Amino acid sequence: MASIRRPHSPAKQHLLRYHHPFASSSPPSSPLRHSSSSSSSPRTHHHNLYPHPFLFLSRRPLPRFAAFFLLGSFLGLLHFLSHLPHTPHIRPADPVAAAAGLRQHLQLPIRVPDDDDADDTRKKLLIVVTPTRARAAQAYYLSRMGQTLLLVDPPLLWVVVQAGEPTPEAAAALRRTTVMHRYVGCCDNLNASSSSSADDLRPRQMNAALDLVENHRLDGIVYFAHEEGVYSLDLFQRLRQIRRFGTWPVPVVSENRKDGVVLEGPVCKQNQVVGWHTSEGHSKLRRFHVAMSGFAFNSTMLWDPKLRSHVAWNSIRHPEMVKEGFQGTTFVEQLVEDESQMEGIPADCSRIMNWHVPFGSENLAYPKGWRVGTNLDVIIPLK
C-alpha cells in the first residue's frame, strides 16, 4: 500500500532545521537570507563570529585539565603556607640590662650612669689578663674572679693563661662563670720541669696574653689581675677613664711584715703623680714603685710607636730574667718615661680599690677588716 507523507509546515521546517542537534550552525544561503543577514546589526554579527571565552573548557579536555590543575596547586600552596609555624624575631638580650638585673637580684646598689658613660657604645673594652696554674684551689680562685667580673659592665674580655696545656676542669670552671673569656695555654716545656716555680712562669704567661692582644689588635685597657687578689667593682669602672697609662696605690699582703701589709703605689695631687709609697728598704732602687695589679694601660701602646716611651723598641713585653720585685717597674719603664705621662686614679689616689695577694698565700692571715693598721713607713718624693 502506498504511503503518503504530508510535508511539514514552513514554521515547523524552520524549527527542525535550526534546533536539531545535528543541524548545521548556519542556515543555507539564499538571496533572501543574505539580504536579511546583511541588514542585521553589527552586534549580532560580532556575536556569531566570536564564541564565549570559557566555551573551550567544556569542549576540550586538555585545557580544562591544565586550568584546574593550576587552580588546585595554588589553593594547596595557600593552605600549606597558612599552617607554617610563626617564629617571631627574637632580639638579643641587652648585656647592660642583664647586669643591672643581676645587681638588683643580689641587692647591690645600682650605679647611676653619668653624662660621660650615658652612651654604652663609647665604653672602652676591658682586657683583664689572669695567669693561672693547675692546683687544688684553681677552680675556687677562677670562680671567685669570674663572679667579680660578671658584675662589671660590658664590654669585657677575660684572658686566662694556663701554665701548660689547658685542662678540662679549668675550662669547665670558666664556662660556668658565663663571662666572655679566652682560655689559652703556654710554657708547656717549662711546666713539666719541677724546678720552675709560679713566679718564673708568670712573666711568660702575661707575655702570651700580650701576644694575643697585639696580634688581634684588641683596642682596650689592659689590666693584669691575679686570681688570688681581691677587687672592687669601682676599680673596673675607673679603668675606663684611663687614656694612656693609669696607676693607683695597692696594699700587698706579705709574710715578712708584722702587720702583714705593704702599701705600694703613687702619691697624687689631683691626677698627677708626685711621689711613691713604699715600705721596703731595697725598693728604693726601683724606678717606679708599682705593684703588678696597680696599673693599667691602653692596648694601642703595644703596636703604636707614637705612644711608647722608647720608639726604638719593637715590642713591649715582661722581662723573664729579672730579680723578684722588679718585674713591675721594668715593664712600666717600657710604657712611660716619667711620672708626667701617668694618670693617678682616683683623684688624689685616696682610695684602696684592690688588694694584691701573692701566689701560694692560701695560709696567710688576712688583715682584720681589710684595713691597714699602721701609717706608711716611707714616702719617696720626686726630685
Side-chain angles (χ1 to χ4, degrees):
M1 181 175 180
S3 61
I4 300 173
R5 291 185 178 181
R6 181 178 296 177
H8 298 287
S9 61
K12 191 171 182 179
Q13 290 180 5
H14 178 77
L15 293 174
L16 291 176
R17 179 176 298 177
Y18 297 107
H19 296 279
H20 195 273
F22 299 99
S24 61
S25 59
S26 61
S29 61
S30 62
L32 182 61
R33 186 70 180 175
H34 180 73
S35 62
S36 62
S37 62
S38 60
S39 61
S40 62
S41 60
R43 181 178 180 182
T44 306
H45 182 69
H46 177 77
H47 177 72
N48 294 334
L49 291 179
Y50 299 96
H52 196 275
F54 293 100
L55 188 61
F56 71 96
L57 295 177
S58 61
R59 293 185 177 182
R60 298 181 181 180
L62 185 59
R64 183 192 310 172
F65 171 78
F68 283 103
F69 177 78
L70 295 177
L71 180 62
S73 301
F74 179 72
L75 294 178
L77 182 61
L78 289 180
H79 179 75
F80 174 75
L81 294 178
S82 62
H83 287 75
L84 287 178
H86 178 65
T87 56
H89 179 67
I90 301 177
R91 298 182 61 184
D94 187 6
V96 178
L102 182 59
R103 289 191 180 94
Q104 185 177 4
H105 177 70
L106 298 176
Q107 297 180 356
L108 295 176
I110 300 178
R111 184 180 61 89
V112 179
D114 50 11
D115 296 335
D116 296 335
D117 55 359
D119 189 5
D120 294 335
T121 59
R122 295 183 299 176
K123 289 185 177 180
K124 294 183 180 180
L125 171 67
L126 295 183
I127 306 173
V128 182
V129 178
T130 301
T132 184
R133 190 174 186 179
R135 63 187 190 278
Q138 183 184 21
Y140 162 73
Y141 284 119
L142 291 179
S143 300
R144 188 185 66 170
M145 187 71 185
Q147 295 300 321
T148 302
L149 298 179
L150 184 62
L151 302 177
V152 181
D153 293 338
L156 183 143
L157 175 62
W158 188 18
V159 182
V160 181
V161 185
Q162 174 80 29
E165 297 183 358
T167 60
E169 294 79 11
L174 293 174
R175 286 194 299 267
R176 285 193 297 266
T177 61
T178 67
V179 178
M180 184 175 65
H181 65 275
R182 181 69 183 272
Y183 181 42
V184 296
C186 79
C187 319
D188 297 343
N189 52 350
L190 295 178
N191 190 35
S193 176
S194 59
S195 60
S196 59
S197 61
D199 294 335
D200 297 335
L201 297 177
R202 288 207 169 187
R204 296 179 174 88
Q205 291 175 260
M206 291 184 286
N207 289 338
L210 294 178
D211 293 338
L212 177 66
V213 173
E214 184 175 1
N215 294 336
H216 293 276
R217 291 298 192 269
L218 300 179
D219 188 3
I221 303 299
V222 180
Y223 176 55
F224 300 105
H226 297 327
E227 56 187 350
E228 300 89 358
V230 180
Y231 307 92
S232 64
L233 295 179
D234 185 55
L235 169 64
F236 297 98
Q237 301 298 339
R238 295 183 182 275
L239 289 180
R240 290 192 168 98
Q241 302 175 4
I242 297 176
R243 292 171 296 180
R244 182 179 176 183
F245 182 90
T247 182
W248 57 92
V250 176
V252 180
V253 179
S254 175
E255 295 178 329
N256 300 326
R257 299 280 298 182
K258 296 180 180 180
D259 53 1
V261 176
V262 175
L263 186 63
E264 295 183 351
V267 178
C268 303
K269 182 178 181 181
Q270 295 299 323
N271 292 331
Q272 183 63 38
V273 178
V274 296
W276 297 97
H277 298 301
T278 181
S279 300
E280 301 176 4
H282 69 277
S283 63
K284 296 181 181 181
L285 301 176
R286 294 186 296 175
R287 175 64 182 87
F288 302 112
H289 303 268
V290 293
M292 286 303 302
S293 59
F295 66 91
F297 62 95
N298 198 313
S299 63
T300 55
M301 302 178 69
L302 297 175
W303 59 81
D304 191 354
K306 297 180 181 180
L307 299 178
R308 302 177 183 176
S309 61
H310 303 280
V311 183
W313 290 7
N314 295 325
S315 60
I316 297 178
R317 295 295 184 269
H318 284 275
E320 299 178 359
M321 305 300 294
V322 177
K323 186 179 178 180
E324 183 180 359
F326 288 83
Q327 293 88 353
T329 181
T330 52
F331 181 78
V332 174
E333 288 174 8
Q334 305 175 47
L335 297 173
V336 296
E337 295 180 353
D338 51 25
E339 286 79 2
S340 62
Q341 300 177 355
M342 297 182 177
E343 308 167 32
I345 58 172
D348 296 332
C349 300
S350 57
R351 298 188 59 181
I352 300 299
M353 297 182 292
N354 67 294
W355 290 71
H356 178 74
V357 181
F359 175 79
S361 56
E362 289 85 354
N363 298 325
L364 289 179
Y366 293 157
K368 184 178 180 180
W370 290 98
R371 297 180 180 274
V372 180
T374 59
N375 296 327
L376 302 177
D377 292 344
V378 181
I379 297 178
I380 302 178
L382 297 180
K383 297 181 180 179

